[in-house]
Amino acid sequence: MKNESKNAKLLHEQRKATYFLVDEYHKKFIDPSTGRMLNHLKEERVCPVCNSALSTHIMDKSASTYVKCNDCTMVYLNPILNPQAIIDYYTHLNTGQGDIVSAESPFYTEIYGLGLNSIEEYKKQPGHILDIGCSTGFFLDLAKKRGWKTSGIELGIDEAARAEAKGHKLFKNTIDQLDPHEKFDAITMWDVLEHIPDGPKQLSVIKEHLNEKGILFFQIPNSDSLAAKIMRSECRMFDGLEHTNLYNPKTISLLVKDSGFTIKNIRSVISEIAVINNYLDYLNPYFGTSQYENKVLNLLDENFIHENKIGYKLQVTLEKA
């Protein structure tokens, strides 16, 4: 992406308020005496991809623990919030994320544009698109400009109202509560799937709301990313509460197997070169000013990172079989 390394510090400076609000909001779900998830809100689980109960401890982070499945390499949070606690969490979460997206519009316009390009590679004519977790509707704004009919799902009350005010049709409940007659030509999830404990169920429900040859596109954190593996607990990917499932290309393939979808494309985006170099130079990863800008310690460039799918995020395009 253009000027990714040079803009990293500025982007994270703009996100400081959101980081603080999220950290403060997390405290409502954490027992102050233990620093861990409140007992009445949590539940234990097995691997969300292969159902194996065998895992290896990776790290304790904030309210919970990240483990790696011994059988399929899936990285996941255990324990997690129970289903009702998850709904309560997202219904009342208000971190100003929509304002952050607007403030960083060049960055998001570019990355959302990559997603729309991926969808339109297989959908030559704009149809009806649904964005799950649409926030204030910035992505839907871009899709509408390209001729798409736009709808969104958003549990956050304030954000949903703002998206609706811009002319997008809003559903203010989860997709599994959607009328079965609601069908779409494309469905998107931008940094949403990692928040959903049951990935296979989510894909199954989405498939029922897609027209024939419909496209599912999603962006997620990449547990194979260079940034995550180098920085580990210092990487914001590991938040200890919201990011319940952290996929990589292998576990995405396992997730999609027998789902009724075919994988059209998996690519990585956002190299995090500047963030990694800050960390390696003993600086704050997100706010430091490392002298290295274009390569990790002048060794690995952005092309190498994305060719090997070790960028910070994965963009995945699926087609309903």
Side-chain angles (χ1 to χ4, degrees), residues 3-255:
N3 301 317
E4 182 185 317
S5 296
K6 293 181 179 179
N7 291 336
K9 184 176 185 294
L10 174 60
L11 291 177
H12 290 291
E13 287 284 357
Q14 292 173 331
R15 296 173 188 174
K16 267 187 176 180
T18 293
Y19 294 158
F20 174 79
L21 287 170
V22 169
D23 290 343
E24 288 298 301
Y25 187 66
H26 279 189
K27 292 177 182 178
K28 297 181 180 181
F29 299 83
I30 296 174
D31 184 341
S33 67
T34 64
R36 308 293 280 173
M37 201 177 294
L38 288 162
N39 283 331
H40 70 283
L41 299 180
K42 70 183 182 181
E43 64 178 24
E44 302 284 337
R45 63 177 181 157
V46 296
C47 175
V49 170
C50 74
N51 295 315
S52 172
L54 302 175
S55 63
T56 299
H57 176 275
I58 296 178
M59 72 181 79
D60 294 326
K61 186 67 183 286
S62 183
S64 191
T65 297
Y66 282 100
V67 299
K68 180 180 179 180
C69 177
N70 290 357
D71 293 327
C72 77
T73 76
M74 181 68 182
V75 174
Y76 62 98
L77 199 64
N78 192 28
I80 58 171
L81 292 173
N82 63 44
Q84 186 56 52
I86 288 173
I87 292 173
D88 292 342
Y89 180 93
Y90 289 109
T91 299
H92 302 289
L93 177 65
N94 184 11
T95 63
Q97 178 61 26
D99 294 327
I100 290 294
V101 172
S102 296
E104 300 172 11
S105 59
F107 171 82
Y108 281 100
T109 297
E110 182 176 0
I111 205 159
Y112 286 163
L114 290 174
L116 281 168
N117 290 344
S118 294
I119 294 167
E120 290 171 354
E121 184 175 347
Y122 305 100
K123 287 294 177 187
K124 302 301 183 183
Q125 296 297 322
H128 193 178
I129 194 168
L130 173 72
D131 187 28
I132 299 174
C134 70
S135 185
T136 57
F138 189 93
F139 170 74
L140 292 175
D141 295 342
L142 299 176
K144 179 175 279 189
K145 289 178 182 177
R146 293 200 188 191
W148 289 84
K149 179 182 177 183
T150 53
S151 294
I153 288 177
E154 178 54 54
L155 296 182
I157 297 170
D158 293 338
E159 291 179 315
R162 290 173 63 182
E164 197 168 33
K166 293 194 287 186
H168 308 301
K169 182 177 180 180
L170 258 287
F171 302 99
K172 299 162 190 176
N173 47 25
T174 58
I175 190 166
D176 55 309
Q177 297 171 316
L178 214 57
D179 188 307
H181 295 101
E182 295 285 355
K183 302 284 187 179
F184 306 91
D185 301 296
I187 294 177
T188 57
M189 292 186 289
W190 289 93
D191 301 300
V192 169
L193 188 60
E194 67 271 22
H195 298 256
I196 298 171
D198 193 338
K201 179 183 176 182
Q202 182 77 353
L203 261 59
S204 176
V205 173
I206 287 173
K207 186 181 69 167
E208 296 306 311
H209 289 284
L210 278 171
N211 290 322
E212 184 178 356
K213 296 294 183 180
I215 296 297
L216 169 59
F217 172 91
F218 55 87
Q219 178 176 285
I220 51 173
N222 178 14
S223 66
D224 272 358
S225 71
L226 190 62
K229 290 188 172 184
I230 288 177
M231 299 196 305
R232 294 174 64 84
S233 64
E234 293 298 311
C235 179
R236 293 199 68 88
M237 181 182 300
F238 305 105
D239 75 333
L241 193 65
E242 290 188 41
H243 290 178
T244 61
N245 292 342
L246 297 173
Y247 300 91
N248 59 29
K250 177 183 177 180
T251 52
I252 284 296
S253 295
L254 292 172
L255 174 70

